[in-house]
Amino acid sequence: MTAITGQKDEKRSQTARRRNTLMPSRLTIALFLLPAFLLYTIFMIYPLVQALIFSTFEFNGLVRGAFVGLQNFEQLFSRYPISEQLPRAFVHNIYFFIGTMLIQNTLGLLFAVLLHRPRFGKRFFRTVFTLPYLISPLVVGYLWSLMLNPLFGPVNATLRNLGLGSLARPWLGDPATALPAVILVNAWMWVGFPMLLFGAGLAGIEDDLREAARIDGASNLQIFRWIEFPLLTPVIGIVTVLTFIGNFNAFGIVWALGGVDGTPAGATDVLGLVFFRTAFRGGADAFGLASALAVLMFLFIFTVSVLVQTWFRRLESRMQ
Amino acid sequence: MQKKTRFTALALLAIMMLAIMGSVVAQDDVTITVWSWRTEDEDAYNEIFAVYEAANPGVTVEFVPFVNTDYNNILATGLTGEGGPDVVQLRAYGSLQPLIEAGQLLPLDDLSTLENFTPAILKGSQGIQDGHIYGVPFGVQALGAFYNVGIFEELGVSEPETWEDFIAILDAAAAAGYIPLANPAKDSWMLPILHDAVAAPRYGGPEFEAAVLAGETNFNDPNYVASIAVLQDLQPYLPPDVVGVAYNDARTLFITGMSPIFIGGSFEIGFWQSEAPDIEVGMFMVPPPPDSLAGSFVPSWMDGSYGVNALTDSPEAALALVEWMGTQEFGQLFTDKIHQISPATGVVSSDPLLAEFAAGMTEHPASYLLLVNFRYGDPSGTTVLGNELQRLFLGEVTPEEVAAALQTGMEQWFVPANTE
């Protein structure tokens, strides 16, 4: 026994020694990491810290004034009208996220499943569904605001020509339909993204599992429900987190569809627009206030993303 | 090796000497950089500055325009360090204050040509805290109603004298299948414009302005509330689903002849001329609505000014240029080439529509109340009223609630003179 363990120990130390000679020194590793680390620090960490510092100061235009502690944060929740706009925008972001999960990501999953089994046209449809997200959100927004235009837009014109004139609406001018319209347009643009991720996830599931289930007499739907869907959990986690981050940072497409005030009457107002208005349309002290809002948004998005990811990881390990 | 290094060093030295000598020789020649948000006026400004360059040998004026919507940010950065402009186009009233408070502009109180402007105009480039003037005004804008002369002839109507005439025209246009008023409500900034152009007589124009600034009344004043209700009365004449109709849709309605009247600012004139040269456009003041406290007005505001960067390398040349921009000569060139109203005394516009706005402004003067007086803090008056009027058109709020929201918003930062 002791002889065997002794041998093992020797082997282990040998491999360790070999690894040591092959492994570059710590300095080399550090040198290789340096460029990326510097870029990351200068362009990510530094602005974040800067925003945190800015948020505790008073501003006069671009000139920094006195240290005011948490006063800017307090102002966000007490100064009219931002104190009313902020909660409203936050709720809209939540709607935006739920709507996107239900519509965009469900459709993305459906398309991925439909396009998974190799048949003709697979590549064509994949390309078609992913094309819109190659276009700038602003272009997509303007395109759809023209399509949905109540006076000249083809959407209402088509409805009227089909005899469905009663369904014609000022889509972006009615508070009841404006945010759903934004969610749909955003989904139109991004649906290819979850589709690609789910597609890759489906391709990673071994066919043996499906075959075994089929031999046991499972239908396609049952295979999806009991084999494929549970095994997609990690991908669903990633898609959820990315959707969350994307939706809570939404700006371009909402701005193009509803303008900087989130028309009509603030029905499409989101946190990104509130931030933009505070920073660039606010008074002389706008920068401190806007930085405070940016810090809060970052903390919220960061915390929730970490929580969601941890939850999905726990779910995964429980399933295994 | 050593020889080579020595040679390089000598060569570098020689180059540096030449560079220094060059700059000594060129000292008399100055290049003044002018930043602006008017990309569309680049050619016109170059022609105008050519006149100045011809009269001032050795001075070169370089006009650098930026995209309008990015201009404020670009300027804010450009004024903080090197490589910035010498002369800058400045926004007016409240939008100008951050630059003044940051000390980024030179005060211009000593420029002789400021005499060519009225105090009301100069208010647009005045520091609200220190009272100094920081810009030489270049333009003014005014509000009124544009109409399609052809459609008016077809309907057999002429410019309205009374509110009844005005409503009769709108009814006649509706009966003939037109959208009587082209105005939009999706772009909320157009709504306070509509309100002031139509309803300033109802709340009393300049008299109300003086009272509200002095703290003798506020926006909850029944007359101000009633002026908001006037817009409710006009809603049936606006495009259907008006809150879905954007600014450019509304302008399209007007230039395609689908709508005979567009109520807006004098800044539209250039657009009508370039996009619809075949349509003959006229202008009238909207007659006073019932129970008005005053006659019609042509509400106006100072559009912007030219100031001097506090960090400029050539302050004297920059000040000289800006001083010239306050002369009648510049004003005349400006109005002739850029087709906007110049606020300098003695300038006469050759464009009949512009001349009509300019004459209306002098004969029936009023401030575009919320832009001139209520953009010095956050939220701005025009923003609050615009958003609330949208809600009014959606039926979510009453005129009383619109006025109350405006009052609440202004109370956040506005301190009336009497309570100071």
Side-chain angles (χ1 to χ4, degrees):
Chain A
M1 273 297 265
T2 38
I4 296 172
T5 32
Q7 251 177 351
K8 257 189 188 166
D9 278 350
E10 200 174 319
K11 222 181 224 169
R12 204 177 288 153
S13 65
Q14 256 178 4
T15 32
R17 217 174 296 140
R18 207 178 305 144
R19 203 176 283 152
N20 263 346
T21 49
L22 285 177
M23 280 287 273
S25 73
R26 280 186 186 186
L27 185 72
T28 323
I29 296 176
L31 273 176
F32 271 96
L33 284 176
L34 193 66
F37 175 76
L38 276 183
L39 279 178
Y40 188 76
T41 312
I42 293 170
F43 291 108
M44 307 287 292
I45 309 282
Y46 175 70
L48 275 175
V49 174
Q50 190 84 323
L52 187 65
I53 296 170
F54 280 2
S55 68
T56 56
F57 279 88
E58 203 175 47
F59 272 83
N60 256 332
L62 277 180
V63 178
R64 204 162 79 181
F67 177 78
V68 291
L70 293 178
Q71 190 191 304
N72 285 325
F73 292 89
E74 185 255 327
Q75 291 263 302
L76 284 179
F77 297 97
S78 59
R79 193 203 282 187
Y80 179 89
I82 195 173
S83 58
E84 283 185 9
Q85 290 171 353
L86 204 56
R88 182 182 68 187
F90 182 70
V91 170
H92 288 164
N93 273 109
I94 293 177
Y95 284 152
F96 197 5
F97 172 63
I98 295 174
T100 307
M101 284 302 286
L102 288 179
I103 295 164
Q104 172 194 300
N105 294 347
T106 311
L107 279 179
L109 181 59
L110 178 71
F111 293 156
V113 170
L114 291 178
L115 291 175
H116 173 58
R117 288 176 193 92
R119 278 181 208 134
F120 71 95
K122 182 174 167 178
R123 189 174 285 186
F124 171 76
F125 282 109
R126 260 192 198 161
T127 315
V128 167
F129 286 131
T130 41
L131 264 184
Y133 81 67
L134 301 179
I135 311 172
S136 148
L138 287 180
V139 178
V140 171
Y142 284 125
L143 189 75
W144 276 98
S145 69
L146 291 177
M147 301 269 280
L148 295 169
N149 187 304
L151 291 171
F152 314 105
V155 171
N156 280 354
T158 312
L159 285 173
R160 286 197 190 98
N161 289 341
L162 290 173
L164 297 169
S166 61
L167 290 179
R169 278 198 165 65
W171 301 101
L172 295 169
D174 183 341
T177 54
L179 191 58
V182 171
I183 293 172
L184 285 174
V185 171
N186 189 60
W188 176 87
M189 179 175 176
W190 286 105
V191 72
F193 184 65
M195 185 195 76
L196 284 186
L197 288 182
F198 286 129
L202 286 171
I205 298 170
E206 285 182 32
D207 268 336
D208 300 359
L209 292 169
R210 296 195 186 92
E211 267 167 43
R214 198 158 288 134
I215 289 165
D216 285 344
S219 68
N220 276 343
L221 199 67
Q222 281 171 322
I223 292 176
F224 174 74
R225 171 65 188 86
W226 299 107
I227 310 259
E228 292 175 333
F229 189 70
L231 286 174
L232 281 178
T233 309
V235 185
I236 295 172
I238 292 168
V239 169
T240 307
V241 170
L242 289 180
T243 306
F244 178 78
I245 295 172
N247 284 169
F248 270 80
N249 284 323
F251 175 74
I253 205 159
V254 193
W255 186 73
L257 287 167
V260 74
D261 292 315
T263 50
T268 57
D269 203 10
V270 292
L271 291 174
L273 292 178
V274 176
F275 171 77
F276 183 86
R277 287 201 304 269
T278 316
F280 302 115
R281 301 275 173 96
D285 63 341
F287 266 61
L289 206 59
S291 299
L293 179 53
V295 167
L296 283 190
M297 279 169 70
F298 170 76
L299 286 180
F300 176 76
I301 294 171
F302 181 76
T303 315
V304 174
S305 303
V306 169
L307 286 179
V308 171
Q309 220 160 1
T310 327
W311 186 76
F312 267 98
R313 239 178 242 153
R314 222 174 269 163
L315 193 71
E316 247 172 84
S317 58
R318 207 185 309 147
M319 282 191 333
Q320 278 164 3
Chain B
M1 247 330 233
Q2 244 185 356
K3 237 182 202 172
K4 211 172 178 184
T5 331
R6 202 176 298 156
F7 175 74
T8 322
L10 275 173
L12 270 174
L13 200 72
I15 290 170
M16 276 166 67
M17 295 273 285
L18 277 175
I20 292 165
M21 278 162 65
S23 67
V24 170
V25 171
Q27 213 171 31
D28 290 339
D29 289 336
V30 197
T31 300
I32 300 294
T33 315
V34 180
W35 280 14
S36 158
W37 65 80
R38 295 289 298 184
T39 44
E40 57 271 62
D41 295 340
E42 191 173 0
D43 293 340
Y45 270 111
N46 283 332
E47 288 170 29
I48 293 174
F49 288 134
V51 174
Y52 183 77
E53 286 166 349
N56 296 274
V59 179
T60 311
V61 183
E62 197 189 345
F63 184 77
V64 188
F66 297 94
V67 176
N68 186 352
T69 44
D70 291 341
Y71 181 75
N72 290 10
N73 302 333
I74 294 172
L75 183 61
T77 322
L79 289 179
T80 51
E82 282 187 26
D86 302 296
V87 171
V88 284
Q89 191 173 24
L90 299 167
R91 311 274 185 192
Y93 306 104
S95 324
L96 172 65
Q97 304 304 315
L99 301 181
I100 295 177
E101 279 162 37
Q104 290 167 327
L105 301 172
L106 291 183
L108 306 177
D109 305 75
D110 298 335
L111 292 191
S112 62
T113 51
L114 287 185
E115 287 171 11
N116 290 335
F117 305 95
T118 63
I121 293 291
L122 286 174
K123 191 180 170 190
S125 56
Q126 195 167 23
I128 188 97
Q129 305 283 351
D130 61 13
H132 291 302
I133 305 292
Y134 288 91
V136 173
F138 62 82
V140 267
Q141 302 290 354
L143 301 178
F146 295 100
Y147 69 99
N148 184 321
V149 176
I151 299 180
F152 266 42
E153 278 168 8
E154 178 200 316
L155 296 173
V157 296
S158 53
E159 293 182 11
E161 300 288 328
T162 64
W163 185 257
E164 288 71 33
D165 291 349
F166 182 53
I167 297 296
I169 294 172
L170 297 177
D171 283 330
Y178 293 107
I179 295 171
L181 278 174
N183 282 62
K186 184 166 189 265
D187 293 280
S188 51
W189 62 270
M190 272 298 285
L191 289 169
I193 285 183
L194 179 66
H195 173 255
D196 233 38
V198 171
R202 180 63 192 85
Y203 66 72
E207 263 183 51
F208 177 81
E209 179 186 23
V212 84
L213 291 180
E216 289 155 16
T217 184
N218 63 30
F219 292 104
N220 289 320
D221 189 303
N223 286 310
Y224 197 80
V225 173
S227 75
I228 292 168
V230 171
L231 292 198
Q232 239 175 353
D233 300 339
L234 284 184
Q235 192 174 358
Y237 301 107
L238 291 167
D241 304 321
V242 67
V243 181
V245 177
Y247 171 59
N248 274 323
D249 302 344
R251 301 206 295 180
T252 309
L253 285 176
F254 186 71
I255 60 170
T256 52
M258 291 170 74
S259 190
I261 301 174
F262 182 100
I263 296 173
S266 48
F267 49 84
E268 305 289 0
I269 293 173
F271 184 79
W272 307 145
Q273 284 168 347
S274 66
E275 299 304 312
D278 302 336
I279 294 182
E280 193 189 333
V281 179
M283 175 268 177
F284 64 84
M285 293 186 293
V286 179
D291 305 318
S292 280
L293 304 183
S296 291
F297 297 110
V298 176
S300 65
W301 68 97
M302 196 270 254
D303 199 20
S305 63
Y306 281 96
V308 178
N309 180 359
L311 297 176
T312 175
D313 292 330
S314 14
E316 277 167 32
L319 285 170
L321 174 66
V322 165
E323 184 160 43
W324 176 73
M325 293 173 95
T327 58
Q328 192 185 340
E329 183 187 16
F330 174 84
Q332 195 63 50
L333 286 166
F334 175 83
T335 196
D336 288 347
K337 292 190 187 293
I338 297 178
H339 309 291
Q340 308 259 352
I341 306 168
S342 163
T345 44
V347 175
V348 183
S349 176
S350 51
D351 182 294
L353 259 186
L354 269 187
E356 206 168 336
F357 269 101
M361 259 174 54
T362 12
E363 286 158 28
H364 310 275
S367 307
Y368 173 15
L369 177 68
L370 293 180
L371 185 151
V372 166
N373 302 294
F374 291 95
R375 276 197 181 169
Y376 290 100
D378 183 44
S380 82
T382 44
T383 306
V384 178
L385 186 66
N387 289 336
E388 292 300 319
L389 287 177
Q390 239 176 12
R391 300 179 68 198
L392 179 80
F393 283 148
L394 289 166
E396 291 182 3
V397 287
T398 62
E400 286 80 9
E401 287 169 313
V402 172
L406 180 60
Q407 180 58 29
T408 315
M410 296 311 97
E411 275 168 11
Q412 304 304 309
W413 56 267
F414 171 68
V415 184
N418 280 357
T419 55
E420 253 176 324

